[in-house]
Structures are given as C-alpha cells and as structure tokens.
Amino acid sequence: MNWEVIMKKTSTQLTLGLLACLLSISTPTYASKWDAKMTPEQVETTLIDKFAKGSYSPKGADSCLMCHKKSDKVMALFQGPHGATNSSKSPMAGLQCEACHGPMGKHNRGGNEPMIAFGPKSTLDAEMQNSVCMSCHMDDDRMNWDDSHHANADVACASCHQIHTAADPVMSKDTEVEVCTSCHTQQKADINKRSSHPLKWDQMVCSDCHNPHGSDSTDADLVKFDINQTCYSCHAEKRGPKLWEHAPVTENCVTCHNPHGSVNDAMLKARAPQLCQQCHASDGHASNPYFGNTNMGGQVNNNAFTGGRSCLNCHSQVHGSNHPSGKLLQR
C-alpha cells in the first residue's frame, strides 16, 4: 500500500472540505428552485400527492416566514385583505399561507419540494392556479367563470390580480383600465381616439360594461344579457319601443358604433353618407354618392347629402321616431 498517495488524497479532501466550510460561512446559501429539477408534469404530480397526504405545518405562517420574511413582496400580504389576521374570511384565519400555496410537507427542508406558485413564472397551468382561487371565490359574480372568455383563453387570476399588496390595482377604478389594456391593446388604442367613452379619464371603467369573470351574455362577457341592454343602462333615451323604429338600432348598437372609440363623431364606424350606404345602397337618392362639386350645388357644402351632417341633415331621428309623420325618421 502506497501510504504517500493515501496521505496526499486525504490532505486534498481536508483542504476541499475546509474551503467548502469557509464558503458556506461567508456566502449565504440558497435552495435550488424546484422548477430547475422537475418538469411541469412532475411538479403537478408532486403537489397532488402532497394534497392527498395533507402534511400542513403546525405553525402555519410562522414556518414560512422563517425563510420568507426578508421579502418585501411576501410581507406586503399582511397589508391586504388576504393577510388580515383579524378577519374570519381571510386565509390567515385558517391554514394561512398554506391555504393558497398548499401543504408545506418537506418544503422547509431545503426548499426542493414544490409549493403552488402563481403568476407568469409559475410552471402550473392557469386551470390549476385558478382552482385555488375559485375554491374561495366561487360566488354569484363568478358563477359563469368556466364559460368566460378569460377562462377559455387560459388566463390565470394572478395575471390580473395582485394578492401580496395593500390594494389590488385591478380593483381600483383609478387603475383598472390600465390593467385591462395591458392585454387588450386594440381597445387601448380605441379609447384614445377623438370620440370615445371617457375611460382614459377614469370616468368609466371596463367593468361598467363587462364582467371579466363571465356572464350570461354571449357577447364579450357583458354585464347585461346583450349589447343593446348594456348600452341602454346609460343611454336610456335610445331605448324603445318607438312608433317608427330603425332596424339596425333595435338589432345591435355596434352595427354603427364602435363602443371603445372612433375617429368619427359619436363613435361611428364610418362617416355618413358612407355609413348609411352600407345598408341603403339602392334606396333612391341614398344610392348616389354625391362627392365633390356636383350639379346639386356649386360646392360640397351646398349639398344637403354631403355637407354638414349628411343624411342626418334630414333624417335626424336616426334612433327612431315617435312622431306620427316620422316614418322616414325625419321628425
């Protein structure tokens, strides 16, 4: 046996061991993120198994805060309703942190055992994340969630809501539109056009017309049964029945209007007479697009069909008329 080789190996091992001890003293150690070691399927399987075992911590949030109390984001939970220690409706009254993030199990022994994570960095799909939220928040306002546009698009609750905060931005009328338009960019462009509902001044918010958690309406999760009923909740003067009705008005307001905004007056999709001619293409004088100088007038503005309000110069009661002689919506 070569004792010289053995002593050299022993000396090397002692040196490496001492170096490792010194590094552990001078540099804080961080547990490896489980996502780096598990596939999403493995994370989900492990979480389901943990729920089946129900290995909750007897100390609740105190166990979690042993490691996480240095995070300002974590501690901000106690400034909001989910962290309220004096409310029987708060998770803090029950399983505390584990009410949302699942049983701790052996997570605190090195941090390698996964917990339920939320938000864009979570490996869990939106359905599993949302199942946690909906276990408490399934009420009348969210009874149609499973059929909503957001659910069908696999949008997670945490994509819109912030829990670890004193005030959830999407729950405030001052910031709700900003949150919604971070995804709905076309509508963001529309509300900044010259004619629009006053969403950009926070005088209206998206939830005045839409229920983001789903509704009985088949049109864009509206708060009312259909588009017209939603519009009439503010524009009651346009509601019928009228003695003389205008078919597009009674059918659907968005036939003529873009509810999020337009470059045309009254949020119209197009200017008259082009808008009117989309339907009235063969109705007498309406079928003739008089543009520019015509024999009906030396200048465009001398022509009642193209000047001023165009068709509305004569047919001013375009939303319907109650006048006995208002068959042509002229009075």
Side-chain angles (χ1 to χ4, degrees):
M1 184 176 292
N2 191 335
W3 290 101
E4 184 177 351
V5 174
I6 294 175
M7 291 299 293
K8 185 177 292 185
K9 287 185 178 180
T10 303
S11 176
T12 302
Q13 291 171 351
L14 288 172
T15 301
L16 292 174
L18 179 60
L19 180 60
C21 290
L22 290 172
L23 288 173
S24 65
I25 294 172
S26 59
T27 306
T29 58
Y30 297 96
S32 300
K33 186 174 173 60
W34 57 82
D35 292 352
K37 297 183 177 181
M38 295 183 177
T39 64
E41 292 77 15
Q42 290 174 327
V43 172
E44 184 172 339
T45 301
T46 303
L47 289 171
I48 293 173
D49 183 59
K50 287 176 65 178
F51 269 105
K53 293 179 179 178
S55 300
Y56 292 93
S57 169
K59 296 183 179 180
D62 290 340
S63 297
C64 305
L65 296 179
M66 287 292 291
C67 296
H68 295 287
K69 65 182 178 181
K70 293 182 180 180
S71 170
D72 293 337
K73 182 177 180 180
V74 170
M75 298 306 293
L77 172 72
F78 297 99
Q79 300 174 19
H82 286 82
T85 57
N86 57 351
S87 172
S88 61
K89 296 181 180 180
S90 169
M92 286 297 134
L95 295 170
Q96 301 184 348
C97 303
E98 293 168 283
C100 298
H101 293 284
M104 177 177 289
K106 298 178 181 179
H107 173 75
N108 60 338
R109 301 178 186 177
N112 290 320
E113 192 170 270
M115 302 289 287
I116 295 177
F118 300 91
K121 295 183 180 180
S122 175
T123 57
L124 299 177
D125 59 28
E127 183 178 4
M128 187 165 186
Q129 292 183 52
N130 293 345
S131 66
V132 176
C133 305
M134 300 305 286
S135 64
C136 290
H137 293 286
M138 179 58 76
D139 54 21
D140 291 345
D141 290 335
R142 300 166 185 84
M143 62 184 297
N144 293 301
W145 168 254
D146 289 335
D147 295 323
S148 70
H149 287 71
H150 282 132
N152 291 332
D154 293 327
V155 175
C157 303
S159 297
C160 302
H161 293 279
Q162 294 182 25
I163 305 305
H164 286 253
T165 183
D168 186 359
V170 80
M171 299 295 290
S172 170
K173 289 187 179 294
D174 293 333
T175 50
E176 177 184 326
V177 175
E178 181 181 352
V179 175
C180 297
T181 54
S182 64
C183 290
H184 299 283
T185 54
Q186 178 59 58
Q187 286 70 28
K188 182 176 183 178
D190 287 341
I191 67 175
N192 284 286
K193 292 176 180 176
R194 61 182 292 268
S195 176
S196 66
H197 281 115
L199 282 88
K200 59 184 175 184
W201 295 293
D202 300 324
Q203 294 175 2
M204 278 182 66
V205 291
C206 306
S207 58
D208 288 336
C209 299
H210 302 276
N211 184 340
H213 302 107
S215 74
D216 291 326
S217 170
T218 57
D219 300 302
D221 290 336
L222 295 171
V223 294
K224 300 293 185 180
F225 183 72
D226 60 21
I227 291 174
N228 281 21
Q229 295 305 316
T230 302
C231 298
Y232 293 153
S233 61
C234 291
H235 303 281
E237 75 281 4
K238 304 296 188 296
R239 185 196 302 270
K242 303 281 188 179
L243 180 60
W244 305 103
E245 294 183 331
H246 193 187
V249 176
T250 58
E251 290 173 2
N252 195 329
C253 299
V254 300
T255 301
C256 298
H257 299 278
N258 182 342
H260 296 105
S262 167
V263 296
N264 303 304
D265 289 340
M267 295 185 287
L268 292 173
K269 290 185 172 180
R271 294 180 63 185
Q274 290 93 330
L275 177 66
C276 306
Q277 288 172 331
Q278 291 176 9
C279 294
H280 301 282
S282 59
D283 295 348
H285 67 274
S287 63
N288 301 313
Y290 301 118
F291 299 115
N293 296 336
T294 69
N295 57 8
M296 297 187 66
Q299 302 293 329
V300 173
N301 290 336
N302 293 335
N303 177 6
F305 190 51
T306 56
R309 299 176 68 226
S310 186
C311 303
L312 277 69
N313 289 329
C314 298
H315 306 282
S316 58
Q317 303 302 310
V318 69
H319 291 99
S321 172
N322 281 318
H323 196 281
S325 299
K327 180 179 180 179
L328 300 178
L329 307 179
Q330 291 178 318
R331 61 188 70 189

